[in-house]
Amino acid sequence: MFEAHSYSGFYAWVSEWQISVFGSYAPFLSFLFLLAIGVLPVLLILTLIRKSRRRQPDVVGAANLRLERAIKIRNAARGVFAVAFGLLLVALLFVTFALPNDEGEPVTFTVSENSSVPLREGSARLVGGEVGTMFTFGQSWWIGEHRKFFAVYQVPGLNREGASFFVDLGPVDVKQLPGLRQRTTWSGLLVKGGLPGTTRPMLRDAGIKVSDPYYTLYPDRRTLQASYFVQLGQMALLALLLALVSIFYNRHIARIQREFNTAARPTV
């Protein structure tokens, strides 16, 4: 989940592979792919356990062995579930209370003279530039012709080491994009960083360098939170899966005890 949130490591590699092959990115598919990789060793171990059980001549001993292994797997699932659920609560608190808010009067930042006013997160207005390169974000679903777009906000011809400002255009109809280029003033919530992870390799491939640090202007706080809730949803799915595994093994343990009438419970 850390790799998914920070867009790093193997998660980033899988995501960029999707972009290079399919031209878009689905974080849920990346999540399921990585989850499958994590589950494969468990399935292999369970297969070996089943084969070993078939060769076990002692029925009572085999039952105790099966019971002991089932308890270990259930306890491991419970432990990982506790960690995942704890991280989910912490992340939910962070998204709810720690993200910048758009309350108060907006501070005006002139892009061509951004050093004249110290940059800070919060309610802001960007002036002095215009919308440049636009790029869509494949993580959000869409309805009809609406897409989730971001755009570089810059002064044409101004020599920079990289793009410093970006604007979240929101889910818009692709036919509206030409009209958005005419807007020179944008208001909303300015945050440090803020671009979804997969937009950065897209910009890099397009020859657009992103400066460090950079800032993204979101229409409001709710829009900013939406990108975090995608990761929270994936974390919740992981916690749910682990809970189901724990429930399954609880039933499996009870079935073994009923089948063989095991008198003694192995110490784990």
Side-chain angles (χ1 to χ4, degrees):
M1 295 310 300
F2 171 78
E3 288 188 356
H5 178 70
S6 61
Y7 191 70
S8 60
F10 196 63
Y11 185 93
W13 181 87
V14 173
S15 302
E16 295 195 21
W17 176 82
Q18 288 185 64
I19 294 175
S20 63
V21 175
F22 304 107
S24 62
Y25 157 65
F28 189 70
L29 293 180
S30 296
F31 175 77
L32 290 179
F33 179 75
L34 296 178
L35 187 62
I37 293 178
V39 169
L40 284 177
V42 177
L43 294 178
L44 178 60
I45 292 174
L46 292 177
T47 300
L48 295 176
I49 291 175
R50 284 195 296 268
K51 289 182 178 179
S52 175
R53 186 173 68 239
R54 294 191 188 105
R55 293 193 299 264
Q56 178 59 255
D58 185 358
V59 175
V60 175
N64 286 331
L65 182 61
R66 290 172 56 196
L67 185 60
E68 181 178 348
R69 289 171 176 172
I71 291 175
K72 287 181 179 180
I73 295 175
R74 182 201 61 186
N75 291 346
R78 283 180 175 179
V80 180
F81 168 78
V83 174
F85 187 74
L87 290 175
L88 178 63
L89 291 180
V90 172
L92 184 60
L93 291 174
F94 172 81
V95 173
T96 304
F97 299 105
L99 289 178
N101 60 69
D102 49 3
E103 299 175 354
E105 290 295 322
V107 176
T108 300
F109 298 103
T110 304
V111 177
S112 57
E113 302 171 355
N114 58 71
S115 60
S116 61
V117 178
L119 289 172
R120 64 156 181 79
E121 297 181 311
S123 181
R125 180 186 298 110
L126 295 182
V127 300
E130 66 180 30
V131 170
T133 303
M134 298 179 177
F135 46 97
T136 188
F137 177 38
Q139 178 162 329
S140 299
W141 58 87
W142 50 76
I143 300 176
E145 294 298 322
H146 286 73
R147 303 289 188 274
K148 176 73 168 178
F149 277 94
F150 287 85
V152 180
Y153 187 75
Q154 61 189 1
V155 178
L158 188 63
N159 185 19
R160 293 183 182 276
E161 293 184 356
S164 300
F165 293 95
F166 298 87
V167 176
D168 178 2
L169 304 180
V172 297
D173 192 312
V174 292
K175 299 177 182 178
Q176 298 173 336
L177 294 180
L180 294 176
R181 293 188 182 277
Q182 309 304 319
R183 287 182 56 179
T184 57
T185 302
W186 293 81
S187 299
L189 175 60
L190 190 68
V191 297
K192 187 175 182 180
L195 282 181
T198 49
T199 61
R200 292 193 283 275
M202 293 168 61
L203 291 172
R204 183 176 64 245
D205 293 341
I208 300 175
K209 181 180 179 182
V210 180
S211 65
D212 186 19
Y214 70 91
Y215 292 82
T216 304
L217 186 75
Y218 282 85
D220 49 43
R221 193 170 190 265
R222 178 179 293 182
T223 307
L224 172 63
Q225 288 176 315
S227 61
Y228 286 88
F229 280 122
V230 172
Q231 303 299 339
L232 287 177
Q234 295 177 344
M235 194 178 295
L237 286 175
L238 174 62
L240 177 61
L241 176 63
L242 293 169
L244 292 176
V245 170
S246 178
I247 293 172
F248 169 80
Y249 272 96
N250 266 338
R251 296 181 176 228
H252 184 55
I253 290 169
R255 186 167 59 252
I256 295 175
Q257 291 174 328
R258 288 195 305 268
E259 181 180 351
F260 294 97
N261 194 21
T262 305
R265 189 184 185 90
T267 302
V268 179

